[in-house]
PDB file of all heavy atoms in Angstrom:
ATOM      1  N   PHE A 159      -0.909 -14.259  -3.415  1.00  0.00           N
ATOM      2  CA  PHE A 159      -1.130 -12.939  -2.848  1.00  0.00           C
ATOM      3  C   PHE A 159      -2.580 -12.522  -3.059  1.00  0.00           C
ATOM      4  O   PHE A 159      -3.218 -12.873  -4.054  1.00  0.00           O
ATOM      5  CB  PHE A 159      -0.194 -11.911  -3.490  1.00  0.00           C
ATOM      6  CG  PHE A 159       1.263 -12.248  -3.371  1.00  0.00           C
ATOM      7  CD1 PHE A 159       2.006 -12.556  -4.495  1.00  0.00           C
ATOM      8  CD2 PHE A 159       1.878 -12.267  -2.140  1.00  0.00           C
ATOM      9  CE1 PHE A 159       3.351 -12.868  -4.391  1.00  0.00           C
ATOM     10  CE2 PHE A 159       3.216 -12.585  -2.022  1.00  0.00           C
ATOM     11  CZ  PHE A 159       3.954 -12.892  -3.152  1.00  0.00           C
ATOM     12  N   SER A 160      -3.076 -11.749  -2.122  1.00  0.00           N
ATOM     13  CA  SER A 160      -4.435 -11.240  -2.228  1.00  0.00           C
ATOM     14  C   SER A 160      -4.487 -10.094  -3.241  1.00  0.00           C
ATOM     15  O   SER A 160      -3.457  -9.490  -3.563  1.00  0.00           O
ATOM     16  CB  SER A 160      -4.913 -10.753  -0.863  1.00  0.00           C
ATOM     17  OG  SER A 160      -4.094  -9.682  -0.412  1.00  0.00           O
ATOM     18  N   PRO A 161      -5.658  -9.782  -3.781  1.00  0.00           N
ATOM     19  CA  PRO A 161      -5.746  -8.663  -4.731  1.00  0.00           C
ATOM     20  C   PRO A 161      -5.304  -7.331  -4.145  1.00  0.00           C
ATOM     21  O   PRO A 161      -4.751  -6.484  -4.854  1.00  0.00           O
ATOM     22  CB  PRO A 161      -7.227  -8.646  -5.119  1.00  0.00           C
ATOM     23  CG  PRO A 161      -7.696 -10.046  -4.862  1.00  0.00           C
ATOM     24  CD  PRO A 161      -6.918 -10.515  -3.669  1.00  0.00           C
ATOM     25  N   CYS A 162      -5.513  -7.122  -2.840  1.00  0.00           N
ATOM     26  CA  CYS A 162      -5.122  -5.843  -2.252  1.00  0.00           C
ATOM     27  C   CYS A 162      -3.601  -5.713  -2.199  1.00  0.00           C
ATOM     28  O   CYS A 162      -3.062  -4.633  -2.453  1.00  0.00           O
ATOM     29  CB  CYS A 162      -5.724  -5.702  -0.863  1.00  0.00           C
ATOM     30  SG  CYS A 162      -5.274  -7.009   0.285  1.00  0.00           S
ATOM     31  N   LEU A 163      -2.892  -6.805  -1.910  1.00  0.00           N
ATOM     32  CA  LEU A 163      -1.431  -6.750  -1.924  1.00  0.00           C
ATOM     33  C   LEU A 163      -0.909  -6.569  -3.344  1.00  0.00           C
ATOM     34  O   LEU A 163       0.056  -5.830  -3.574  1.00  0.00           O
ATOM     35  CB  LEU A 163      -0.851  -8.022  -1.310  1.00  0.00           C
ATOM     36  CG  LEU A 163      -0.943  -8.173   0.202  1.00  0.00           C
ATOM     37  CD1 LEU A 163      -0.305  -9.486   0.645  1.00  0.00           C
ATOM     38  CD2 LEU A 163      -0.272  -7.007   0.915  1.00  0.00           C
ATOM     39  N   ALA A 164      -1.543  -7.244  -4.307  1.00  0.00           N
ATOM     40  CA  ALA A 164      -1.107  -7.093  -5.695  1.00  0.00           C
ATOM     41  C   ALA A 164      -1.308  -5.669  -6.185  1.00  0.00           C
ATOM     42  O   ALA A 164      -0.496  -5.138  -6.944  1.00  0.00           O
ATOM     43  CB  ALA A 164      -1.857  -8.086  -6.577  1.00  0.00           C
ATOM     44  N   SER A 165      -2.384  -5.003  -5.751  1.00  0.00           N
ATOM     45  CA  SER A 165      -2.617  -3.626  -6.179  1.00  0.00           C
ATOM     46  C   SER A 165      -1.607  -2.671  -5.583  1.00  0.00           C
ATOM     47  O   SER A 165      -1.275  -1.644  -6.186  1.00  0.00           O
ATOM     48  CB  SER A 165      -4.032  -3.196  -5.790  1.00  0.00           C
ATOM     49  OG  SER A 165      -4.181  -3.173  -4.374  1.00  0.00           O
ATOM     50  N   ALA A 166      -1.072  -3.001  -4.384  1.00  0.00           N
ATOM     51  CA  ALA A 166      -0.087  -2.122  -3.761  1.00  0.00           C
ATOM     52  C   ALA A 166       1.243  -2.140  -4.493  1.00  0.00           C
ATOM     53  O   ALA A 166       2.038  -1.204  -4.346  1.00  0.00           O
ATOM     54  CB  ALA A 166       0.117  -2.514  -2.299  1.00  0.00           C
ATOM     55  N   THR A 167       1.517  -3.193  -5.258  1.00  0.00           N
ATOM     56  CA  THR A 167       2.764  -3.279  -6.021  1.00  0.00           C
ATOM     57  C   THR A 167       2.534  -3.168  -7.526  1.00  0.00           C
ATOM     58  O   THR A 167       3.413  -3.529  -8.303  1.00  0.00           O
ATOM     59  CB  THR A 167       3.478  -4.598  -5.711  1.00  0.00           C
ATOM     60  OG1 THR A 167       2.609  -5.701  -6.012  1.00  0.00           O
ATOM     61  CG2 THR A 167       3.890  -4.676  -4.250  1.00  0.00           C
ATOM     62  N   SER A 168       1.380  -2.702  -7.942  1.00  0.00           N
ATOM     63  CA  SER A 168       1.080  -2.552  -9.365  1.00  0.00           C
ATOM     64  C   SER A 168       1.885  -1.398  -9.953  1.00  0.00           C
ATOM     65  O   SER A 168       2.400  -0.537  -9.220  1.00  0.00           O
ATOM     66  CB  SER A 168      -0.415  -2.306  -9.555  1.00  0.00           C
ATOM     67  OG  SER A 168      -0.808  -1.100  -8.907  1.00  0.00           O
ATOM     68  N   PRO A 169       2.034  -1.345 -11.277  1.00  0.00           N
ATOM     69  CA  PRO A 169       2.762  -0.220 -11.886  1.00  0.00           C
ATOM     70  C   PRO A 169       2.151   1.137 -11.560  1.00  0.00           C
ATOM     71  O   PRO A 169       2.877   2.129 -11.407  1.00  0.00           O
ATOM     72  CB  PRO A 169       2.698  -0.535 -13.385  1.00  0.00           C
ATOM     73  CG  PRO A 169       2.515  -2.022 -13.456  1.00  0.00           C
ATOM     74  CD  PRO A 169       1.689  -2.374 -12.273  1.00  0.00           C
ATOM     75  N   GLN A 170       0.817   1.208 -11.441  1.00  0.00           N
ATOM     76  CA  GLN A 170       0.202   2.484 -11.090  1.00  0.00           C
ATOM     77  C   GLN A 170       0.605   2.922  -9.681  1.00  0.00           C
ATOM     78  O   GLN A 170       0.889   4.105  -9.437  1.00  0.00           O
ATOM     79  CB  GLN A 170      -1.322   2.374 -11.184  1.00  0.00           C
ATOM     80  CG  GLN A 170      -1.853   2.116 -12.578  1.00  0.00           C
ATOM     81  CD  GLN A 170      -1.761   0.665 -12.997  1.00  0.00           C
ATOM     82  OE1 GLN A 170      -1.356  -0.184 -12.186  1.00  0.00           O
ATOM     83  NE2 GLN A 170      -2.142   0.363 -14.232  1.00  0.00           N
ATOM     84  N   SER A 171       0.677   1.956  -8.756  1.00  0.00           N
ATOM     85  CA  SER A 171       1.089   2.298  -7.399  1.00  0.00           C
ATOM     86  C   SER A 171       2.561   2.692  -7.357  1.00  0.00           C
ATOM     87  O   SER A 171       2.938   3.622  -6.638  1.00  0.00           O
ATOM     88  CB  SER A 171       0.824   1.117  -6.457  1.00  0.00           C
ATOM     89  OG  SER A 171      -0.556   0.820  -6.379  1.00  0.00           O
ATOM     90  N   ARG A 172       3.408   2.003  -8.115  1.00  0.00           N
ATOM     91  CA  ARG A 172       4.828   2.364  -8.154  1.00  0.00           C
ATOM     92  C   ARG A 172       5.015   3.760  -8.732  1.00  0.00           C
ATOM     93  O   ARG A 172       5.889   4.517  -8.307  1.00  0.00           O
ATOM     94  CB  ARG A 172       5.605   1.341  -8.983  1.00  0.00           C
ATOM     95  CG  ARG A 172       5.639  -0.066  -8.383  1.00  0.00           C
ATOM     96  CD  ARG A 172       6.160  -0.063  -6.988  1.00  0.00           C
ATOM     97  NE  ARG A 172       6.307  -1.415  -6.458  1.00  0.00           N
ATOM     98  CZ  ARG A 172       6.559  -1.687  -5.176  1.00  0.00           C
ATOM     99  NH1 ARG A 172       6.646  -0.704  -4.294  1.00  0.00           N
ATOM    100  NH2 ARG A 172       6.679  -2.951  -4.771  1.00  0.00           N
ATOM    101  N   LEU A 173       4.189   4.123  -9.718  1.00  0.00           N
ATOM    102  CA  LEU A 173       4.276   5.473 -10.289  1.00  0.00           C
ATOM    103  C   LEU A 173       3.881   6.519  -9.261  1.00  0.00           C
ATOM    104  O   LEU A 173       4.539   7.567  -9.142  1.00  0.00           O
ATOM    105  CB  LEU A 173       3.387   5.563 -11.524  1.00  0.00           C
ATOM    106  CG  LEU A 173       3.330   6.931 -12.220  1.00  0.00           C
ATOM    107  CD1 LEU A 173       4.709   7.358 -12.677  1.00  0.00           C
ATOM    108  CD2 LEU A 173       2.350   6.898 -13.377  1.00  0.00           C
ATOM    109  N   ARG A 174       2.837   6.264  -8.507  1.00  0.00           N
ATOM    110  CA  ARG A 174       2.426   7.199  -7.459  1.00  0.00           C
ATOM    111  C   ARG A 174       3.499   7.320  -6.382  1.00  0.00           C
ATOM    112  O   ARG A 174       3.740   8.424  -5.866  1.00  0.00           O
ATOM    113  CB  ARG A 174       1.101   6.748  -6.850  1.00  0.00           C
ATOM    114  CG  ARG A 174      -0.090   6.833  -7.805  1.00  0.00           C
ATOM    115  CD  ARG A 174      -1.333   6.207  -7.170  1.00  0.00           C
ATOM    116  NE  ARG A 174      -1.700   6.874  -5.944  1.00  0.00           N
ATOM    117  CZ  ARG A 174      -2.528   7.908  -5.877  1.00  0.00           C
ATOM    118  NH1 ARG A 174      -3.096   8.366  -6.992  1.00  0.00           N
ATOM    119  NH2 ARG A 174      -2.834   8.468  -4.714  1.00  0.00           N
ATOM    120  N   CYS A 175       4.147   6.201  -6.045  1.00  0.00           N
ATOM    121  CA  CYS A 175       5.203   6.261  -5.039  1.00  0.00           C
ATOM    122  C   CYS A 175       6.399   7.067  -5.542  1.00  0.00           C
ATOM    123  O   CYS A 175       7.037   7.796  -4.773  1.00  0.00           O
ATOM    124  CB  CYS A 175       5.636   4.843  -4.657  1.00  0.00           C
ATOM    125  SG  CYS A 175       4.406   3.919  -3.688  1.00  0.00           S
ATOM    126  N   SER A 176       6.726   6.934  -6.830  1.00  0.00           N
ATOM    127  CA  SER A 176       7.843   7.709  -7.371  1.00  0.00           C
ATOM    128  C   SER A 176       7.550   9.196  -7.379  1.00  0.00           C
ATOM    129  O   SER A 176       8.476  10.018  -7.351  1.00  0.00           O
ATOM    130  CB  SER A 176       8.156   7.231  -8.788  1.00  0.00           C
ATOM    131  OG  SER A 176       7.056   7.463  -9.662  1.00  0.00           O
ATOM    132  N   LEU A 177       6.264   9.574  -7.413  1.00  0.00           N
ATOM    133  CA  LEU A 177       5.870  10.979  -7.355  1.00  0.00           C
ATOM    134  C   LEU A 177       5.689  11.475  -5.929  1.00  0.00           C
ATOM    135  O   LEU A 177       5.262  12.618  -5.736  1.00  0.00           O
ATOM    136  CB  LEU A 177       4.567  11.183  -8.143  1.00  0.00           C
ATOM    137  CG  LEU A 177       4.627  10.851  -9.647  1.00  0.00           C
ATOM    138  CD1 LEU A 177       3.267  11.018 -10.280  1.00  0.00           C
ATOM    139  CD2 LEU A 177       5.669  11.711 -10.342  1.00  0.00           C
ATOM    140  N   GLY A 178       5.986  10.636  -4.944  1.00  0.00           N
ATOM    141  CA  GLY A 178       5.847  11.035  -3.550  1.00  0.00           C
ATOM    142  C   GLY A 178       4.443  10.901  -3.012  1.00  0.00           C
ATOM    143  O   GLY A 178       4.137  11.480  -1.959  1.00  0.00           O
ATOM    144  N   GLN A 179       3.580  10.143  -3.685  1.00  0.00           N
ATOM    145  CA  GLN A 179       2.209   9.956  -3.246  1.00  0.00           C
ATOM    146  C   GLN A 179       2.034   8.559  -2.672  1.00  0.00           C
ATOM    147  O   GLN A 179       2.883   7.689  -2.816  1.00  0.00           O
ATOM    148  CB  GLN A 179       1.242  10.174  -4.419  1.00  0.00           C
ATOM    149  CG  GLN A 179       1.387  11.517  -5.111  1.00  0.00           C
ATOM    150  CD  GLN A 179       0.515  11.616  -6.342  1.00  0.00           C
ATOM    151  OE1 GLN A 179      -0.251  10.705  -6.651  1.00  0.00           O
ATOM    152  NE2 GLN A 179       0.622  12.735  -7.059  1.00  0.00           N
ATOM    153  N   GLN A 180       0.913   8.366  -2.013  1.00  0.00           N
ATOM    154  CA  GLN A 180       0.597   7.052  -1.470  1.00  0.00           C
ATOM    155  C   GLN A 180       0.115   6.137  -2.590  1.00  0.00           C
ATOM    156  O   GLN A 180      -0.467   6.588  -3.574  1.00  0.00           O
ATOM    157  CB  GLN A 180      -0.480   7.165  -0.390  1.00  0.00           C
ATOM    158  CG  GLN A 180      -0.001   7.819   0.887  1.00  0.00           C
ATOM    159  CD  GLN A 180       1.063   6.987   1.588  1.00  0.00           C
ATOM    160  OE1 GLN A 180       1.035   5.763   1.565  1.00  0.00           O
ATOM    161  NE2 GLN A 180       2.002   7.665   2.219  1.00  0.00           N
ATOM    162  N   PRO A 181       0.357   4.830  -2.458  1.00  0.00           N
ATOM    163  CA  PRO A 181      -0.109   3.897  -3.506  1.00  0.00           C
ATOM    164  C   PRO A 181      -1.623   3.828  -3.538  1.00  0.00           C
ATOM    165  O   PRO A 181      -2.320   4.441  -2.726  1.00  0.00           O
ATOM    166  CB  PRO A 181       0.531   2.565  -3.097  1.00  0.00           C
ATOM    167  CG  PRO A 181       0.785   2.699  -1.633  1.00  0.00           C
ATOM    168  CD  PRO A 181       1.093   4.147  -1.397  1.00  0.00           C
ATOM    169  N   LEU A 182      -2.123   3.070  -4.491  1.00  0.00           N
ATOM    170  CA  LEU A 182      -3.561   2.924  -4.645  1.00  0.00           C
ATOM    171  C   LEU A 182      -4.185   2.263  -3.418  1.00  0.00           C
ATOM    172  O   LEU A 182      -3.513   1.557  -2.667  1.00  0.00           O
ATOM    173  CB  LEU A 182      -3.868   2.106  -5.901  1.00  0.00           C
ATOM    174  CG  LEU A 182      -3.392   2.696  -7.234  1.00  0.00           C
ATOM    175  CD1 LEU A 182      -3.659   1.710  -8.364  1.00  0.00           C
ATOM    176  CD2 LEU A 182      -4.093   4.017  -7.513  1.00  0.00           C
ATOM    177  N   ASP A 183      -5.462   2.512  -3.228  1.00  0.00           N
ATOM    178  CA  ASP A 183      -6.165   1.893  -2.105  1.00  0.00           C
ATOM    179  C   ASP A 183      -6.162   0.387  -2.303  1.00  0.00           C
ATOM    180  O   ASP A 183      -6.771  -0.139  -3.231  1.00  0.00           O
ATOM    181  CB  ASP A 183      -7.593   2.439  -2.026  1.00  0.00           C
ATOM    182  CG  ASP A 183      -7.611   3.926  -1.704  1.00  0.00           C
ATOM    183  OD1 ASP A 183      -6.646   4.398  -1.076  1.00  0.00           O
ATOM    184  OD2 ASP A 183      -8.581   4.589  -2.085  1.00  0.00           O
ATOM    185  N   HIS A 184      -5.463  -0.296  -1.421  1.00  0.00           N
ATOM    186  CA  HIS A 184      -5.319  -1.736  -1.564  1.00  0.00           C
ATOM    187  C   HIS A 184      -6.311  -2.499  -0.696  1.00  0.00           C
ATOM    188  O   HIS A 184      -6.960  -3.418  -1.135  1.00  0.00           O
ATOM    189  CB  HIS A 184      -3.882  -2.156  -1.238  1.00  0.00           C
ATOM    190  CG  HIS A 184      -3.304  -1.409  -0.087  1.00  0.00           C
ATOM    191  ND1 HIS A 184      -3.527  -1.761   1.196  1.00  0.00           N
ATOM    192  CD2 HIS A 184      -2.519  -0.296  -0.043  1.00  0.00           C
ATOM    193  CE1 HIS A 184      -2.894  -0.915   2.015  1.00  0.00           C
ATOM    194  NE2 HIS A 184      -2.279  -0.024   1.294  1.00  0.00           N
ATOM    195  N   CYS A 185      -6.420  -2.132   0.534  1.00  0.00           N
ATOM    196  CA  CYS A 185      -7.356  -2.800   1.426  1.00  0.00           C
ATOM    197  C   CYS A 185      -7.343  -2.071   2.757  1.00  0.00           C
ATOM    198  O   CYS A 185      -6.600  -1.114   2.952  1.00  0.00           O
ATOM    199  CB  CYS A 185      -7.007  -4.281   1.626  1.00  0.00           C
ATOM    200  SG  CYS A 185      -5.297  -4.534   2.101  1.00  0.00           S
ATOM    201  N   TYR A 186      -8.155  -2.544   3.662  1.00  0.00           N
ATOM    202  CA  TYR A 186      -8.223  -1.931   4.985  1.00  0.00           C
ATOM    203  C   TYR A 186      -6.930  -2.218   5.743  1.00  0.00           C
ATOM    204  O   TYR A 186      -6.447  -3.353   5.785  1.00  0.00           O
ATOM    205  CB  TYR A 186      -9.427  -2.471   5.758  1.00  0.00           C
ATOM    206  CG  TYR A 186      -9.540  -1.924   7.156  1.00  0.00           C
ATOM    207  CD1 TYR A 186      -9.914  -0.599   7.363  1.00  0.00           C
ATOM    208  CD2 TYR A 186      -9.271  -2.724   8.250  1.00  0.00           C
ATOM    209  CE1 TYR A 186     -10.010  -0.082   8.645  1.00  0.00           C
ATOM    210  CE2 TYR A 186      -9.369  -2.222   9.536  1.00  0.00           C
ATOM    211  CZ  TYR A 186      -9.743  -0.896   9.728  1.00  0.00           C
ATOM    212  OH  TYR A 186      -9.825  -0.397  11.003  1.00  0.00           O
ATOM    213  N   ASN A 187      -6.359  -1.185   6.331  1.00  0.00           N
ATOM    214  CA  ASN A 187      -5.082  -1.318   7.039  1.00  0.00           C
ATOM    215  C   ASN A 187      -5.340  -1.959   8.393  1.00  0.00           C
ATOM    216  O   ASN A 187      -5.862  -1.322   9.319  1.00  0.00           O
ATOM    217  CB  ASN A 187      -4.422   0.060   7.189  1.00  0.00           C
ATOM    218  CG  ASN A 187      -3.003  -0.050   7.739  1.00  0.00           C
ATOM    219  OD1 ASN A 187      -2.512  -1.134   8.023  1.00  0.00           O
ATOM    220  ND2 ASN A 187      -2.353   1.077   7.896  1.00  0.00           N
ATOM    221  N   THR A 188      -4.984  -3.228   8.494  1.00  0.00           N
ATOM    222  CA  THR A 188      -5.177  -3.953   9.752  1.00  0.00           C
ATOM    223  C   THR A 188      -3.963  -3.865  10.667  1.00  0.00           C
ATOM    224  O   THR A 188      -3.955  -4.506  11.717  1.00  0.00           O
ATOM    225  CB  THR A 188      -5.461  -5.433   9.449  1.00  0.00           C
ATOM    226  OG1 THR A 188      -4.350  -5.993   8.742  1.00  0.00           O
ATOM    227  CG2 THR A 188      -6.721  -5.567   8.604  1.00  0.00           C
ATOM    228  N   PHE A 189      -2.949  -3.110  10.292  1.00  0.00           N
ATOM    229  CA  PHE A 189      -1.728  -3.021  11.092  1.00  0.00           C
ATOM    230  C   PHE A 189      -1.811  -1.932  12.160  1.00  0.00           C
ATOM    231  O   PHE A 189      -1.116  -2.010  13.174  1.00  0.00           O
ATOM    232  CB  PHE A 189      -0.521  -2.758  10.197  1.00  0.00           C
ATOM    233  CG  PHE A 189      -0.226  -3.859   9.225  1.00  0.00           C
ATOM    234  CD1 PHE A 189      -0.788  -3.869   7.967  1.00  0.00           C
ATOM    235  CD2 PHE A 189       0.612  -4.907   9.585  1.00  0.00           C
ATOM    236  CE1 PHE A 189      -0.520  -4.880   7.064  1.00  0.00           C
ATOM    237  CE2 PHE A 189       0.883  -5.926   8.694  1.00  0.00           C
ATOM    238  CZ  PHE A 189       0.308  -5.912   7.432  1.00  0.00           C
ATOM    239  N   ALA A 190      -2.584  -0.889  11.884  1.00  0.00           N
ATOM    240  CA  ALA A 190      -2.683   0.217  12.832  1.00  0.00           C
ATOM    241  C   ALA A 190      -3.422  -0.245  14.091  1.00  0.00           C
ATOM    242  O   ALA A 190      -4.309  -1.106  14.040  1.00  0.00           O
ATOM    243  CB  ALA A 190      -3.414   1.387  12.178  1.00  0.00           C
ATOM    244  N   PRO A 191      -3.060   0.307  15.261  1.00  0.00           N
ATOM    245  CA  PRO A 191      -2.029   1.324  15.488  1.00  0.00           C
ATOM    246  C   PRO A 191      -0.674   0.753  15.922  1.00  0.00           C
ATOM    247  O   PRO A 191       0.205   1.503  16.284  1.00  0.00           O
ATOM    248  CB  PRO A 191      -2.645   2.140  16.609  1.00  0.00           C
ATOM    249  CG  PRO A 191      -3.366   1.096  17.444  1.00  0.00           C
ATOM    250  CD  PRO A 191      -3.871   0.058  16.469  1.00  0.00           C
ATOM    251  N   HIS A 192      -0.547  -0.564  15.918  1.00  0.00           N
ATOM    252  CA  HIS A 192       0.677  -1.168  16.460  1.00  0.00           C
ATOM    253  C   HIS A 192       1.836  -1.089  15.464  1.00  0.00           C
ATOM    254  O   HIS A 192       2.995  -0.925  15.868  1.00  0.00           O
ATOM    255  CB  HIS A 192       0.405  -2.629  16.837  1.00  0.00           C
ATOM    256  CG  HIS A 192      -0.710  -2.798  17.814  1.00  0.00           C
ATOM    257  ND1 HIS A 192      -0.598  -2.469  19.148  1.00  0.00           N
ATOM    258  CD2 HIS A 192      -1.993  -3.258  17.652  1.00  0.00           C
ATOM    259  CE1 HIS A 192      -1.738  -2.723  19.774  1.00  0.00           C
ATOM    260  NE2 HIS A 192      -2.607  -3.195  18.879  1.00  0.00           N
ATOM    261  N   PHE A 193       1.547  -1.216  14.190  1.00  0.00           N
ATOM    262  CA  PHE A 193       2.601  -1.261  13.185  1.00  0.00           C
ATOM    263  C   PHE A 193       2.300  -0.233  12.094  1.00  0.00           C
ATOM    264  O   PHE A 193       1.173  -0.176  11.581  1.00  0.00           O
ATOM    265  CB  PHE A 193       2.722  -2.656  12.550  1.00  0.00           C
ATOM    266  CG  PHE A 193       2.885  -3.762  13.549  1.00  0.00           C
ATOM    267  CD1 PHE A 193       1.795  -4.539  13.922  1.00  0.00           C
ATOM    268  CD2 PHE A 193       4.116  -4.016  14.131  1.00  0.00           C
ATOM    269  CE1 PHE A 193       1.931  -5.563  14.841  1.00  0.00           C
ATOM    270  CE2 PHE A 193       4.257  -5.041  15.059  1.00  0.00           C
ATOM    271  CZ  PHE A 193       3.168  -5.810  15.418  1.00  0.00           C
ATOM    272  N   SER A 194       3.315   0.532  11.766  1.00  0.00           N
ATOM    273  CA  SER A 194       3.210   1.519  10.692  1.00  0.00           C
ATOM    274  C   SER A 194       3.946   0.970   9.467  1.00  0.00           C
ATOM    275  O   SER A 194       5.174   0.886   9.458  1.00  0.00           O
ATOM    276  CB  SER A 194       3.818   2.862  11.131  1.00  0.00           C
ATOM    277  OG  SER A 194       3.807   3.793  10.064  1.00  0.00           O
ATOM    278  N   ILE A 195       3.181   0.588   8.449  1.00  0.00           N
ATOM    279  CA  ILE A 195       3.740  -0.041   7.256  1.00  0.00           C
ATOM    280  C   ILE A 195       3.996   1.019   6.191  1.00  0.00           C
ATOM    281  O   ILE A 195       3.130   1.860   5.905  1.00  0.00           O
ATOM    282  CB  ILE A 195       2.788  -1.118   6.705  1.00  0.00           C
ATOM    283  CG1 ILE A 195       2.485  -2.164   7.794  1.00  0.00           C
ATOM    284  CG2 ILE A 195       3.394  -1.795   5.488  1.00  0.00           C
ATOM    285  CD1 ILE A 195       3.701  -2.902   8.296  1.00  0.00           C
ATOM    286  N   HIS A 196       5.195   0.992   5.625  1.00  0.00           N
ATOM    287  CA  HIS A 196       5.520   1.840   4.480  1.00  0.00           C
ATOM    288  C   HIS A 196       5.151   1.053   3.211  1.00  0.00           C
ATOM    289  O   HIS A 196       5.916   0.209   2.739  1.00  0.00           O
ATOM    290  CB  HIS A 196       7.005   2.206   4.488  1.00  0.00           C
ATOM    291  CG  HIS A 196       7.398   3.054   5.651  1.00  0.00           C
ATOM    292  ND1 HIS A 196       8.664   3.573   5.813  1.00  0.00           N
ATOM    293  CD2 HIS A 196       6.687   3.503   6.728  1.00  0.00           C
ATOM    294  CE1 HIS A 196       8.723   4.284   6.928  1.00  0.00           C
ATOM    295  NE2 HIS A 196       7.530   4.249   7.501  1.00  0.00           N
ATOM    296  N   TRP A 197       3.998   1.352   2.673  1.00  0.00           N
ATOM    297  CA  TRP A 197       3.479   0.555   1.569  1.00  0.00           C
ATOM    298  C   TRP A 197       4.275   0.756   0.287  1.00  0.00           C
ATOM    299  O   TRP A 197       4.256  -0.112  -0.594  1.00  0.00           O
ATOM    300  CB  TRP A 197       2.001   0.898   1.332  1.00  0.00           C
ATOM    301  CG  TRP A 197       1.129   0.434   2.454  1.00  0.00           C
ATOM    302  CD1 TRP A 197       0.585   1.183   3.438  1.00  0.00           C
ATOM    303  CD2 TRP A 197       0.727  -0.917   2.716  1.00  0.00           C
ATOM    304  NE1 TRP A 197      -0.151   0.397   4.299  1.00  0.00           N
ATOM    305  CE2 TRP A 197      -0.084  -0.898   3.872  1.00  0.00           C
ATOM    306  CE3 TRP A 197       0.960  -2.127   2.076  1.00  0.00           C
ATOM    307  CZ2 TRP A 197      -0.650  -2.045   4.405  1.00  0.00           C
ATOM    308  CZ3 TRP A 197       0.388  -3.278   2.605  1.00  0.00           C
ATOM    309  CH2 TRP A 197      -0.403  -3.233   3.746  1.00  0.00           C
ATOM    310  N   CYS A 198       4.955   1.876   0.145  1.00  0.00           N
ATOM    311  CA  CYS A 198       5.781   2.073  -1.047  1.00  0.00           C
ATOM    312  C   CYS A 198       7.011   1.170  -1.054  1.00  0.00           C
ATOM    313  O   CYS A 198       7.649   1.012  -2.095  1.00  0.00           O
ATOM    314  CB  CYS A 198       6.208   3.541  -1.155  1.00  0.00           C
ATOM    315  SG  CYS A 198       4.851   4.655  -1.628  1.00  0.00           S
TER     316      CYS A 198
END
């Protein structure tokens, strides 16, 4: 896995998701505008 994907599933990102916030900045979102990814 790339570092940006690993940061999206890190404990800090999971904590932010449990609080209703977006995860940490992982990388540039290359999915928009065709795909809307739920990173949490």
Side-chain angles (χ1 to χ4, degrees):
F159 303 113
S160 62
C162 58
L163 286 181
S165 64
T167 57
S168 62
Q170 295 80 4
S171 297
R172 295 305 185 191
L173 178 59
R174 293 173 60 90
C175 289
S176 63
L177 298 177
Q179 305 174 3
Q180 289 295 325
L182 299 175
D183 295 334
H184 39 83
C185 51
Y186 178 71
N187 188 359
T188 60
F189 296 90
H192 303 287
F193 307 100
S194 176
I195 303 299
H196 295 184
W197 291 103
C198 288

